[in-house]
Amino acid sequence: GDSVTQMEGPVTLSEEAFLTINCTYTATGYPSLFWYVQYPGEGLQLLLKATKADDKGSNKGFEATYRKETTSFHLEKGSVQVSDSAVYFCALSVIGNEKLTFGTGTRLTIIP
Amino acid sequence: DTEVTQTPKHLVMGMTNKKSLKCEQHMGHRAMYWYKQKAKKPPELMFVYSYEKLSINESVPSRFSPECPNSSLLNLHLHALQPEDSALYLCASSQDSDRDISYEQYFGPGTRLTVT
């Protein structure tokens, strides 16, 4: 079946540090890949997406590249801010399958 | 507009109560979803409606009853819930997948449900 393996948290970084959250996947078909962010007490917000190999999704300074050869979609940001503190979920869906498969989530805390 | 709205924001109910959660989207999406999320866990899929018809039921207990009155609305009727059903209930919507691409889902803010 489909699965997403995500870097375990929690992750604590200082403001302006470089962020990487690892995400790898297995899929029964050709997946679209997503990063969602969940701020405390809120629902999930789509952060970025990529729908084919070598696509780079980007938003709010975050980037992730769809790497088919390594089945990875790692999330990166060059300089994190306190406001980036949240839980980040990597997810995939496969054409013809309406389900989103989520990773376990990574809790990120940025300290001033 | 990529907004999915959910009401109420918070709900406290006893085990003998009947209540409903509501979800609305005006993006023209034809797929709508209910998820349950426990603390520190990813969302778990409960139901999927596609073109107003139930297409996936993830073996959810019958005390949860979904309803899709039209393409913009999704309800979740609750009856005789248990304390372990306390969770954040999330609604989502998406364009229906086509031959070449699987589309992203847009989530609402959720209803925080407490069963006493």
Side-chain angles (χ1 to χ4, degrees):
Chain A
D2 302 328
S3 68
V4 175
T5 301
Q6 191 175 335
M7 178 175 171
E8 291 286 335
V11 174
T12 302
L13 295 172
S14 297
E15 204 166 21
E16 299 184 3
F18 185 87
L19 169 71
T20 300
I21 301 177
N22 290 336
C23 172
T24 58
Y25 66 89
T26 59
T28 53
Y30 199 103
S32 293
L33 302 172
F34 310 96
W35 277 100
Y36 284 88
V37 58
Q38 187 171 31
Y39 298 100
E42 298 185 10
L44 275 69
Q45 296 178 25
L46 178 67
L47 181 60
L48 52 83
K49 66 177 182 180
T51 57
K52 60 182 188 295
D54 301 324
D55 267 1
K56 177 185 281 188
S58 61
N59 186 25
K60 300 181 181 180
F62 291 90
E63 293 183 339
T65 301
Y66 187 140
R67 300 284 188 202
K68 189 178 179 185
E69 64 276 12
T70 55
T71 61
S72 65
F73 193 54
H74 304 322
L75 182 68
E76 297 183 336
K77 186 175 185 183
S79 176
V80 292
Q81 306 300 311
V82 172
S83 56
D84 294 326
S85 298
V87 179
Y88 292 81
F89 292 98
C90 185
L92 70 82
S93 63
V94 175
I95 294 170
N97 186 339
E98 295 152 310
K99 296 183 182 184
L100 257 182
T101 300
F102 286 96
T104 52
T106 301
R107 182 173 299 276
L108 173 67
T109 302
I110 307 300
I111 54 177
Chain B
D1 181 12
T2 57
E3 188 177 29
V4 176
T5 59
Q6 289 186 245
T7 55
K9 191 171 177 62
H10 299 278
L11 178 62
V12 179
M13 60 185 290
M15 289 188 286
T16 58
N17 291 159
K18 285 185 179 181
K19 296 287 184 183
S20 297
L21 309 184
K22 297 186 183 302
C23 173
E24 189 167 8
Q25 58 89 13
H26 293 289
M27 294 178 277
H29 289 169
R30 303 315 298 264
M32 296 186 76
Y33 311 78
W34 280 115
Y35 289 85
K36 173 183 177 180
Q37 186 180 26
K38 301 286 273 186
K40 299 185 179 182
K41 297 289 187 183
E44 298 173 22
L45 183 65
M46 300 175 71
F47 302 103
V48 181
Y49 273 83
S50 180
Y51 291 87
E52 301 166 45
K53 293 190 186 314
L54 184 65
S55 60
I56 294 177
N57 176 341
E58 290 287 280
S59 302
V60 179
S62 60
R63 58 186 184 269
F64 295 91
S65 175
E67 178 196 17
C68 189
N70 60 54
S71 59
S72 300
L73 292 174
L74 186 65
N75 299 322
L76 185 63
H77 303 298
L78 314 173
H79 174 56
L81 295 193
Q82 304 297 310
E84 60 264 28
D85 296 322
S86 298
L88 181 68
Y89 288 83
L90 295 164
C91 174
S93 71
S94 72
Q95 291 178 257
D96 215 22
S97 295
D98 63 27
R99 190 179 58 182
D100 300 317
I101 190 171
S102 185
Y103 291 99
E104 63 273 21
Q105 293 182 22
Y106 292 93
F107 286 80
T111 294
R112 177 74 59 189
L113 174 67
T114 303
V115 182
T116 61

